[in-house]
Amino acid sequence: MPTTPTVEERAGCGLGARLAVWLMRRFLRPLVARLPWTPYTLRFAPLLDLAGFLMLPPRGTRVARVRGLSCPAEWVRGPGVTGVGDKVILYFHGGGFVACGLRTHRRMIARISQAADMPVLSVAYRMQPRVTIATSVSDCSNAYGWLLEEGHEPADIVVAGDSAGGYLAFMAPLHALRDGLPPPAGIAALSPFTELDIAGKIAHANAALDPFIPAPRLRDMVRTCFPGAEVTDPWLSPVHADLGGLPPVLIQVGSVEVLRSDAELMAGRLGAADVPCTLQIWEGQMHVFQIFADISREGLAAISEIGAFARAVTGLTVRREAA
């Protein structure tokens, strides 16, 4: 029976967020629009993760490398998080399927860990163009299976991710379900990429407003990361998949970003599949604004909401505030 997604429009855009939007539109968007998108140049994109050393996690964060997976991963425990108990978050970073990693997202993930009061398994899945998208999805679904093998109950696991990682936060559980594994307790997706067809994004009003992502550039991403793919393939495009077995979902998106179209479309498809979904649209915020929480109070508020969602779907009652 179809349900109607809950849409929450979060008003308010502070000076810090407005400054970040201006800087991105003035300096980063022109750079993204002009960078050559070729298999050769993209081989250097993962080096962006090295810049993550500048984004130190909050004081008191503990990080421990994980062995035994098909890709690098680490446990991140935010300040005050003991890790006692079995409730965890499984997180996949964004970066257009070609960039970023454990370092670039460690600060934000530590804040999410603290807000949820549970450890986060951060997974650096292998990326394009070195491997196929099927390998990336496999790395993520295998990480979910690994948590189950380690003794974590499905009802104690929340799968989360941003942007390309938001795509994987949907695809990993879908592939796990296909392989006979039970679903996690919930899915939290931050500005997720969910639709391989770029036409809707280019036609969306936010194509002219997004301060970071030039919509036509997404065509290059799809051509490179999904070569020859049929855009309606249910095993590659979340919005075309059978979503009926998925758990409750939280989607957060900025009101001016081009991937708002993907977030709204995915929320509608989840509702049609009778999957409980809350879509939060944050006024004036850009793509994955949560990572800019140091200058945007709305980023901290959104992280607090992610923590509350993780606690609610796993039944955890303890609450801590993000640093």
Side-chain angles (χ1 to χ4, degrees):
M1 190 74 178
T3 61
T4 301
T6 300
V7 179
E8 301 175 351
E9 296 193 7
R10 297 305 176 90
C13 183
L15 178 60
R18 295 197 300 271
L19 176 60
V21 165
W22 183 85
L23 290 171
M24 288 290 182
R25 182 175 290 118
R26 182 72 174 83
F27 299 105
L28 191 56
R29 179 175 170 130
L31 178 64
V32 173
R34 290 173 174 79
L35 281 174
W37 191 287
T38 68
Y40 176 76
T41 56
L42 290 180
R43 287 186 175 274
F44 298 97
L47 295 177
L48 179 62
D49 189 46
L50 297 177
F53 80 91
L54 296 172
M55 303 175 69
L56 297 176
R59 186 185 301 273
T61 298
R62 291 179 294 152
V63 178
R65 282 300 180 110
V66 173
R67 309 295 179 186
L69 295 177
S70 55
C71 59
E74 63 184 22
W75 282 112
V76 179
R77 291 174 172 83
V81 177
T82 64
V84 175
D86 296 323
K87 302 182 190 303
V88 299
I89 296 173
L90 174 61
Y91 197 94
F92 309 127
H93 68 82
F97 302 100
V98 300
C100 298
L102 301 176
R103 295 179 184 86
T104 54
H105 283 64
R106 192 176 288 149
R107 185 172 180 85
M108 180 179 70
I109 288 173
R111 284 177 162 145
I112 292 173
S113 168
Q114 186 181 23
D117 196 40
M118 59 184 73
V120 178
L121 179 64
S122 177
V123 175
Y125 53 90
R126 289 170 286 178
M127 295 184 290
Q128 290 70 62
R130 296 177 182 273
V131 300
T132 65
I133 189 64
T135 298
S136 300
V137 173
S138 178
D139 282 346
C140 296
S141 60
N142 288 344
Y144 177 65
W146 180 83
L147 284 174
L148 297 178
E149 292 172 358
E150 289 292 301
H152 296 277
E153 295 294 330
D156 292 334
I157 302 172
V158 175
V159 179
D162 65 276
S163 194
Y167 166 94
L168 293 165
F170 288 114
M171 294 308 296
L174 287 168
H175 280 252
L177 287 171
R178 182 183 67 172
D179 294 338
L181 297 178
I187 296 171
L190 291 59
S191 302
F193 175 79
T194 63
E195 168 65 278
L196 271 61
D197 189 350
I198 305 304
K201 289 178 259 296
I202 291 178
H204 196 278
N206 280 5
L209 299 177
D210 193 302
F212 173 35
I213 302 175
R217 180 102 276 188
L218 293 171
R219 290 194 190 278
D220 298 320
M221 183 187 77
V222 172
R223 290 192 189 106
T224 301
C225 302
F226 300 84
E230 171 56 54
V231 295
T232 58
D233 185 339
W235 294 112
L236 288 177
S237 180
V239 298
H240 295 289
D242 179 2
L243 304 174
L246 291 182
V249 174
L250 170 67
I251 300 176
Q252 294 182 336
V253 69
S255 69
V256 299
E257 64 169 302
V258 72
L259 288 188
R260 175 176 176 173
S261 63
D262 283 38
E264 292 172 333
L265 179 59
M266 190 65 184
R269 297 289 171 86
L270 287 164
D274 197 26
V275 175
C277 176
T278 298
L279 171 62
Q280 297 179 346
I281 303 173
W282 292 74
E283 180 186 358
Q285 303 298 322
M286 60 183 171
H287 187 61
V288 195
F289 63 95
Q290 299 87 344
I291 208 165
F292 301 103
D294 288 289
I295 59 174
S296 168
R297 64 174 182 266
E298 294 83 13
L300 287 175
I303 288 172
S304 179
E305 296 275 2
I306 297 166
F309 171 79
R311 294 192 308 274
V313 295
T314 60
L316 185 64
T317 56
V318 176
R319 178 176 183 176
R320 298 182 189 274
E321 298 298 331

